[in-house]
């Protein structure tokens, strides 16, 4: 049986980079979410996300095709059910890099899920990382920082909290949590 692993944390905590490094291990696969937000420059459809319209997203909800879904910064995000079910009948780990509201839905439905909350070393670093990324409009960035404060309030609902100060150390800690190190 495959094991489900949630990685949450505020925007700028380094989730995407950590997940990219984790998936270098053939035992670890990552779910590709569906979103209504526009792709950033480097993002390709079917790789970073499946980019869909609001209407398509609503239809997916109606057809029961999403295992969880949530609103974030005025856009919708969701985890495709079919790929998740397929992953769970195979060996290995299946990563869900999702925000807090979706994470809580999955924890309730599938309590055996391993949940990890990634913390930035401090708030200043979080702001700097968001500026460096430079892909979000200023207004969006402020919104993300506000959401970050709210998301932090939920960190105790997760099985593990990992401070992402040093990337290699973070990946190694998570691999230990998964008994892969
Ligand atoms: P971003 O726009 O920066 O790619 O993602 C915004 C937030 O949505 C991040 O916290 C990211 O982890 C989260 N997210 C990405 N995919 C999903 C999903 O399928 N479901 C939920 N609930 N959140 C997601």
């Amino acid at each position: 049986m495959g094991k489900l692993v949630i990685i949450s944390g505020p925007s700028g905590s380094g989730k995407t980079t950590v997940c990219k490094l984790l998936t270098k291990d053939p035992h670890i696969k990552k779910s590709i979410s569906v979103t209504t937000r526009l792709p950033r420059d480097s993002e390709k459809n079917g790789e970073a996300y499946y980019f869909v319209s609001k209407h398509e997203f609503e239809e997916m909800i109606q057809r029961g095709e999403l295992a969880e879904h949530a609103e974030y910064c005025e856009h919708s995000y969701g985890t495709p059910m079919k790929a998740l079910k397929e992953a769970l009948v195979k060996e290995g780990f299946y990563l869900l890099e999702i925000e807090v509201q979706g994470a809580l839905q999955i924890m309730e439905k599938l309590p055996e899920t391993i949940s990890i909350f990634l913390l930035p070393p401090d708030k200043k670093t979080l702001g700097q990382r968001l500026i460096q990324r430079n892909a979000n409009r200023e207004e969006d960035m402020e919104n993300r920082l506000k959401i970050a404060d709210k998301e932090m309030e939920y960190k105790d609902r997760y099985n593990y909290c990992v401070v992402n100060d040093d990337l290699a150390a973070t990946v190694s800690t998570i691999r230990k949590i998964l008994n892969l190190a």
Side-chain angles (χ1 to χ4, degrees):
M1 280 287 279
K3 288 203 177 107
L4 209 53
V5 182
I6 293 174
I7 310 259
S8 294
S11 187
S13 59
K15 287 171 300 194
T16 306
T17 315
V18 167
C19 285
K20 249 185 210 146
L21 292 174
L22 286 168
T23 53
K24 285 193 171 171
D25 184 324
H27 298 100
I28 308 179
K29 299 266 178 283
K30 185 173 169 269
S31 160
I32 302 174
S33 296
V34 180
T35 184
T36 61
R37 87 150 160 75
L38 292 173
R40 294 181 189 133
D41 283 350
S42 59
E43 291 178 331
K44 294 200 180 76
N45 191 32
E47 279 179 27
Y49 284 103
Y50 295 109
F51 296 97
V52 298
S53 67
K54 268 267 173 210
H55 179 69
E56 285 170 305
F57 195 92
E58 288 303 322
E59 284 193 335
M60 290 185 85
I61 297 175
Q62 297 304 324
R63 292 196 296 260
E65 289 173 9
L66 299 177
E68 61 72 35
H69 60 93
E71 291 289 307
Y72 180 98
C73 268
E74 291 163 24
H75 294 292
S76 308
Y77 295 79
T79 301
M81 178 80 89
K82 187 166 173 266
L84 186 150
K85 278 190 174 161
E86 283 167 5
L88 289 185
V89 295
K90 290 185 199 150
E91 287 298 311
F93 295 92
Y94 195 59
L95 297 184
L96 304 184
E97 183 201 326
I98 61 178
E99 55 68 65
V100 167
Q101 298 309 317
L104 296 178
Q105 294 169 40
I106 296 285
M107 286 177 204
E108 197 174 312
K109 283 186 205 162
L110 301 161
E112 64 282 12
T113 303
I114 302 165
S115 55
I116 302 171
F117 194 92
L118 218 56
L119 289 155
D122 51 65
K123 208 167 169 193
K124 198 170 147 220
T125 312
L126 192 72
Q128 280 166 350
R129 284 185 188 162
L130 284 179
I131 292 167
Q132 271 162 17
R133 188 193 285 171
N134 203 19
N136 309 304
R137 289 171 296 132
E138 197 173 323
E139 175 196 329
D140 192 53
M141 203 184 91
E142 279 168 18
N143 237 334
R144 282 171 183 257
L145 279 172
K146 271 190 212 146
I147 297 172
D149 282 336
K150 280 202 196 126
E151 290 199 305
M152 298 282 225
E153 291 172 15
Y154 287 91
K155 65 180 191 315
D156 296 339
R157 304 281 286 270
Y158 287 71
N159 299 134
Y160 302 91
C161 286
V162 178
V163 179
N164 184 24
D165 200 353
D166 174 84
L167 202 53
T170 301
V171 171
S172 152
T173 304
I174 295 177
R175 286 182 58 82
K176 277 187 201 135
I177 291 172
L178 305 181
N179 279 327
L180 285 170

